[in-house]
Amino acid sequence: MFGYANPTKFMTLSGALLPWTVALTLLCIGAGLYLGFTAPPDYQQGTTVTMMFIHVPAAGVAERAYAVMVGAPIVRLVQRPLLADVG
């Protein structure tokens, strides 16, 4: 794992994996949106319940993004890894 601390090795690996991860991400997003919007209506709330399938996961992603934005500078200041500023 520490071999990928070398920026050349890391960028070579990430460049090779990027098209695959983009394709997998788009496939998962498409499947999630399709399943979220085609869910059957709830017996009490009707079709308004479908907004939970979009808003609840979006809120979770936003909370994780803020946690990463807090954690990344702390890791950068404490450990000083070589690739902390890549991205």
Side-chain angles (χ1 to χ4, degrees):
M1 189 69 173
F2 290 114
Y4 292 110
N6 182 345
T8 304
K9 289 182 181 179
F10 177 78
M11 295 303 282
T12 302
L13 177 67
S14 66
L17 291 178
L18 183 63
W20 295 98
T21 56
V22 168
L24 183 63
T25 300
L26 292 176
L27 182 69
C28 288
I29 289 173
L33 287 173
Y34 173 75
L35 292 172
F37 283 123
T38 59
D42 188 51
Y43 73 97
Q44 287 181 334
Q45 296 178 347
T47 58
T48 58
V49 75
T50 57
M51 76 175 123
M52 285 194 312
F53 295 123
I54 302 298
H55 288 90
V56 173
V61 169
E63 289 176 354
R64 288 180 195 91
Y66 281 115
V68 168
M69 287 190 293
V70 168
I74 293 171
V75 169
R76 171 70 174 121
L77 289 173
V78 172
Q79 295 182 350
R80 306 235 182 230
L82 294 174
L83 295 173
D85 297 329
V86 173

